[in-house]
Amino acid sequence: MSKPADARHRRDNGSQPGVLMPVPASKLELPADYAVFLSAVKLRISQDRLKAQLSANAIQMVMYWDLGREILSKQQDAGWGAKIIDRLSADIRDAFPQMQGFSARNLKYMRAFAESWPDRELMQRTVAQIPWRSNLTLMEKLKDSDLRRWYARQTLQNGWSKDILAIQIDSALHLRVGQSANNFELTLPPLDSDMANQVFKDPYLFDFLGTTQVRREMELENKLVEHLEKFLLELGQGFAFVGRQVHVEVGGSDFYIDMLFYHLKLRCYVVIELKAGAFSPGQVSQLTMYMNIVNDVLRHPDDKPTIGLLLVREKNQTIAKYALTGNTQPIGVAEWEQIMTNALPADLQPSLPSVEEIETELGLEDGA
């Protein structure tokens, strides 16, 4: 008599006779479309987790705003004194001992939050999607409501962390965006031109080059590659690094592009030429040639025309604009500045408070 077909799955390893042992998951024969299905499931889980986090944050921000508005109203209309906030904080903590974020200082921040964003609907559309600590940065660093809205929108669009937001505010990004000398309006379609204007800025601030003055192009390039993450941060959202000294051979001659990037939103290559000295019109011709080569050799049919960026130590805005007039390639000219940041003397560092100590002093508890 033949053995049952499933006998091959039995194991004589001390288990009860006749008991079927499960086949290890790693040895299962998977359906042909399983990998696609798994990818879709993981994407859905990731998206839903992000939605849940954003939704939870939005609910928290609205609660903070509502509580801040009530406190503001009580103090303005009912004459409640500042000491009431201390009592309110203690009573909330007694009622909800497991919840954090209701220190007296944080309640005062909620009041300031409601005061800074008097329009509840506008608050829900913008800063309700931003973490609380980023909202604190907006309130503490920006007193002008228009600027606060601008940086809030940029934070949402670019996904800036609190620290990155603070850096962008301190470097006055709003004064630098769209300030490069360029010919985008004449060489790009209107929508692409507007986007390119917002992508490129002037000047670019490099605070990571060290304390020794950079005087040569190769030295500048080495420093930018050495601190590529910080360089990409200063370039802005959407830049992907392709390579440095990118070799191209044309007409039997070798050429090397200083730095090549691809911009994910503009959907095009960006050729960056670095100059340690002042701008001169002849530099535009060299950059134009490199852009033509990239368009001919590297550009995919679905890619948009390559954009060029000349980073120079200094420029005359009028001369730069005349040099770009009549050029059919989209090119921007911007200055770069070496920001000297000297480290604190070692003997002073131990006396400085840590980040944790500062947050404790400010009452910014975990989850606040």
Side-chain angles (χ1 to χ4, degrees):
M1 186 173 179
S2 60
K3 295 182 180 180
D6 61 359
R8 73 190 70 179
H9 297 307
R10 294 191 176 97
R11 299 287 185 271
D12 185 13
N13 58 357
S15 61
Q16 295 180 0
V19 176
L20 288 175
M21 301 298 293
V23 178
S26 60
K27 295 184 178 180
L28 284 175
E29 185 175 346
L30 299 176
D33 60 346
Y34 178 77
V36 176
F37 175 76
L38 177 61
S39 296
V41 169
K42 291 193 292 186
L43 178 61
R44 174 62 186 274
I45 292 173
S46 298
Q47 290 175 337
D48 285 353
R49 286 181 64 189
L50 178 59
K51 288 179 182 177
Q53 292 169 355
L54 292 175
S55 176
N57 182 81
I59 292 172
Q60 184 185 44
M61 292 304 100
V62 171
M63 179 184 68
Y64 281 3
W65 189 93
D66 286 340
L67 182 51
R69 172 56 60 185
E70 288 297 321
I71 293 173
L72 192 62
S73 176
K74 291 295 184 183
Q75 289 187 327
Q76 290 178 343
D77 301 334
W80 283 17
K83 291 296 183 182
I84 294 294
I85 292 181
D86 295 331
R87 175 59 185 268
L88 179 62
S89 172
D91 287 340
I92 292 176
R93 292 188 187 199
D94 287 342
F96 304 99
Q98 302 302 319
M99 293 185 67
Q100 297 179 324
F102 293 98
S103 66
R105 185 176 291 273
N106 219 34
L107 290 178
K108 293 174 184 176
Y109 276 133
M110 294 177 202
R111 181 186 62 190
F113 182 49
E115 197 170 21
S116 298
W117 299 92
D119 187 332
R120 191 176 192 271
E121 183 179 345
L122 176 61
M123 178 274 301
Q124 286 181 294
R125 291 200 310 266
T126 53
V127 290
Q129 315 301 321
I130 297 173
W132 182 234
R133 292 176 185 274
S134 295
N135 272 305
L136 294 181
T137 299
L138 288 171
M139 288 190 294
E140 291 174 342
K141 287 184 170 290
L142 299 168
K143 304 308 177 185
D144 183 275
S145 59
D146 291 335
L147 275 183
R148 202 182 304 121
R149 283 196 294 271
W150 189 87
Y151 279 99
R153 288 195 299 268
Q154 294 299 315
T155 300
L156 280 174
Q157 293 172 9
N158 298 300
W160 290 339
S161 68
K162 173 183 72 71
D163 293 336
I164 299 305
L165 170 61
I167 290 172
Q168 302 293 13
I169 294 174
D170 290 341
S171 67
L173 178 65
H174 64 285
L175 297 178
R176 299 187 290 128
V177 167
Q179 297 303 308
S180 67
N182 63 72
N183 59 356
F184 297 151
E185 290 186 4
L186 300 176
T187 56
L188 294 173
L191 289 178
D192 292 341
S193 171
D194 291 343
M195 186 182 298
N197 260 315
Q198 294 306 306
V199 165
F200 297 98
K201 63 189 75 164
D202 187 20
Y204 287 84
L205 306 180
F206 301 149
D207 61 353
F208 49 84
L209 298 181
T211 56
T212 303
Q213 191 71 38
V214 174
R215 301 187 181 280
R216 294 181 300 148
E217 278 87 3
M218 186 55 67
E219 182 184 1
L220 174 60
E221 182 182 319
N222 289 338
K223 291 282 188 179
L224 295 181
V225 173
E226 181 182 346
H227 301 279
L228 185 58
E229 185 175 352
K230 293 181 179 179
F231 181 38
L232 286 170
L233 173 62
E234 178 60 11
L235 285 178
Q237 187 79 3
F239 280 90
F241 181 60
V242 177
R244 61 174 293 194
Q245 291 298 306
V246 178
H247 173 245
V248 288
E249 183 179 349
V250 177
S253 299
D254 295 316
F255 298 95
Y256 297 88
I257 299 172
D258 283 352
M259 305 190 83
L260 184 63
F261 293 83
Y262 190 89
H263 198 277
L264 301 177
K265 292 182 179 179
L266 292 170
R267 295 294 175 187
C268 69
Y269 283 102
V270 178
V271 175
I272 296 182
E273 280 294 295
L274 306 170
K275 302 300 175 184
F279 169 79
S280 67
Q283 295 163 353
V284 174
S285 298
Q286 181 188 32
L287 178 57
T288 300
M289 182 185 71
Y290 289 158
M291 294 168 63
N292 287 331
I293 294 173
V294 171
N295 281 330
D296 186 53
V297 177
L298 299 178
R299 180 186 170 195
H300 187 274
D302 293 335
D303 292 335
K304 294 183 178 180
T306 300
I307 294 178
L309 175 63
L310 264 174
L311 282 180
V312 300
R313 196 70 169 106
E314 58 180 292
K315 74 175 189 306
N316 180 290
Q317 192 82 354
T318 303
I319 294 176
K321 288 185 176 181
Y322 275 119
L324 296 175
T325 301
N327 194 300
T328 59
Q329 300 281 24
I331 294 175
V333 180
E335 295 179 349
W336 61 269
E337 294 183 7
Q338 182 175 359
I339 307 300
M340 300 294 189
T341 54
N342 296 314
L344 287 169
D347 58 344
L348 287 182
Q349 292 178 3
S351 65
L352 297 176
S354 66
V355 174
E356 291 77 13
E357 291 170 337
I358 293 173
E359 291 183 346
T360 299
E361 176 65 24
L362 291 178
L364 300 180
E365 306 148 320
D366 292 339

